[in-house]
Amino acid sequence: MWRTFCVAVCCLSVICGVPGLSATPLADFLQEASQEEDWMVQIRRELHQWPELMYQEHNTSLFLRKTLDDLNIPYKFPAAKTGIVATIGTGNPVVALRTDIDALPIHEESDVPFRSKVDGKSHACGHDSHMTMLLGGAKLLKKRENELKGTVKLIFQPAEEGGAGGEKMVKEGWLKGVKAIFGFHVWPAAPTGQVLTKAGTIMGASAQFNVTVRGRGGHAAMPHTTIDPVVAGAAIVTTLQTVVARETDPLHSQVISLTRFNTGGNAYNVIPEVVKLGATYRSLTHQGMVNMKNRLGEMITNTAKAHGCSAEIDWMEEAHPYYPPTINNPDLAAFVKDVGARLVTAPMHAGM
């Protein structure tokens, strides 16, 4: 963890022009970062135990503000309801480092002493680690505040998991004047200590939708007297896969995943009147999302109709707004790659 946040700190420090950084051996910088490991572990485990969902991160935000107070780092609150924007240094250029702070509505089943203490909620996406890394980076940057040639903004963004907290922060003006911004995310598929980035599109666009399929319910022993929405719903699930399998260029990544299928009842001998589906769809381009949405709508409506049912689609544009693709600036991506490579290969001091 500390290697990862140290890369972020180095990126910010170099961009903001810390004079001595290039002359300081990176191993020394990593050594200083490693000395904060126990402090960071304690913070991460505290955050991990008390997850809060989007725009409900009240205690999380309070904990973050208290930690910033302890570090003597000024901040403004609220930002986008529950977010925080802290600053280190003064003047231009202004560079930002961002973390998300919300959790997911997922029950944690891991057997660790610091597991989530909130039933049905957990930091399953690693935002507890992201917050910890940003606080650790802030602590190191604060020590070098007099050396900074500019301002570092620390962005604690709420509602990343569907609530478009980042968009709200932009609309409220919190990123005004920012020359560059760095976000970061833990990645369980990558070995610990690796730093991954690339120029251009690095994360796909995403959106969600719900479908309500209506038919006519009845007894399961007499399906001929019903209009079965279960069969129609099942047909919709399989039909939508052809949007990717048969209508998308194999070299262009897109995905449609139906993740919810609810018949609403507990009886085994009853065909329901209504079936509800839920899904997410993703693409590496905005136009790909537009095309997918059009075709998904057509297929859902027509497949339901072919089975004698009707279908209502809720595109969830307010509850879970559309997220565009994440596209990295090529120069900044190359810079991060260079700094990350030098940090990861830096020799370590004995005893670490």
Side-chain angles (χ1 to χ4, degrees):
M1 180 188 296
W2 56 268
R3 272 185 176 269
T4 304
F5 91 75
C6 195
V7 171
V9 175
C10 283
C11 289
L12 281 175
S13 300
V14 174
I15 287 176
C16 291
V18 175
L21 187 60
S22 59
T24 302
L26 290 179
D28 292 344
F29 203 76
L30 287 171
Q31 175 71 11
E32 182 181 351
S34 70
Q35 292 172 358
E36 303 295 344
E37 185 174 3
D38 290 343
W39 178 76
M40 287 190 296
V41 168
Q42 181 181 0
I43 285 178
R44 185 254 169 175
R45 291 185 177 184
E46 178 66 22
L47 290 167
H48 188 85
Q49 291 177 80
W50 302 104
E52 297 175 299
L53 303 183
M54 60 181 181
Y55 295 127
Q56 301 172 16
E57 312 96 328
H58 303 292
N59 291 324
T60 300
S61 182
L62 182 62
F63 178 86
L64 293 170
R65 299 196 310 271
K66 183 181 182 303
T67 304
L68 290 170
D69 287 336
D70 292 341
L71 296 174
N72 196 30
I73 296 175
Y75 57 83
K76 292 184 178 181
F77 170 84
K81 296 185 179 181
T82 49
I84 307 164
V85 177
T87 55
I88 301 174
T90 59
N92 291 315
V94 180
V95 179
L97 187 61
R98 168 264 185 196
T99 181
D100 31 30
I101 68 174
D102 56 329
L104 285 164
I106 297 174
H107 184 73
E108 182 173 0
E109 298 181 357
S110 60
D111 185 19
V112 293
F114 53 90
R115 63 178 291 175
S116 172
K117 293 183 178 179
V118 184
D119 287 344
K121 301 176 185 178
S122 66
H123 273 297
C125 199
H127 297 187
D128 52 334
S129 296
H130 303 165
M131 289 183 277
T132 302
M133 288 187 284
L134 185 51
L135 289 172
K139 190 172 186 178
L140 293 190
L141 280 172
K142 185 64 178 179
K143 295 178 182 179
R144 293 166 170 77
E145 186 169 24
N146 293 334
E147 304 174 49
L148 292 175
K149 294 183 178 180
T151 303
V152 178
K153 276 193 175 183
L154 310 173
I155 308 293
F156 295 87
Q157 178 208 314
E160 186 271 347
E161 299 291 353
E167 181 182 42
K168 184 177 287 291
M169 295 191 89
V170 171
K171 288 182 177 179
E172 291 182 2
W174 295 107
L175 269 65
K176 185 177 181 180
V178 171
K179 180 180 179 181
I181 183 168
F182 294 86
F184 45 91
H185 205 296
V186 292
W187 201 255
T192 299
Q194 284 194 357
V195 179
L196 309 176
T197 191
K198 62 173 289 188
T201 304
I202 191 169
M203 299 289 285
S206 68
Q208 301 171 197
F209 63 89
N210 286 319
V211 178
T212 300
V213 182
R214 298 186 183 277
R216 183 172 67 234
H219 200 286
M222 297 181 289
H224 60 288
T225 66
T226 73
I227 300 176
D228 194 342
V230 177
V231 175
I236 289 172
V237 171
T238 56
T239 300
L240 293 189
Q241 300 308 312
T242 64
V243 174
V244 174
R246 287 297 176 265
E247 297 187 14
T248 301
D249 185 335
L251 298 180
H252 177 70
S253 294
Q254 292 188 164
V255 64
I256 168 69
S257 292
L258 278 292
T259 55
R260 297 185 180 187
F261 196 115
N262 186 0
T263 61
N266 296 317
Y268 288 93
N269 62 345
V270 175
I271 292 173
E273 182 176 341
V274 173
V275 165
K276 294 186 177 182
L277 312 177
T280 180
Y281 63 106
R282 304 176 182 229
S283 175
L284 291 180
T285 67
H286 172 71
Q287 189 58 49
M289 292 294 285
V290 172
N291 295 341
M292 286 187 76
K293 183 178 180 180
N294 290 337
R295 288 297 289 139
L296 292 171
E298 292 172 354
M299 286 186 170
I300 291 168
T301 301
N302 292 332
T303 301
K305 185 176 181 180
H307 288 79
C309 296
S310 64
E312 303 164 8
I313 307 172
D314 176 9
W315 295 106
M316 306 176 69
E317 292 173 346
E318 291 188 9
H320 292 277
Y322 161 72
Y323 280 16
T326 301
I327 303 174
N328 281 340
N329 177 282
D331 294 335
L332 295 182
F335 174 75
V336 170
K337 184 176 180 181
D338 175 64
V339 174
R342 287 188 287 131
L343 275 171
V344 170
T345 58
M348 307 304 297
H349 286 199
M352 289 186 61

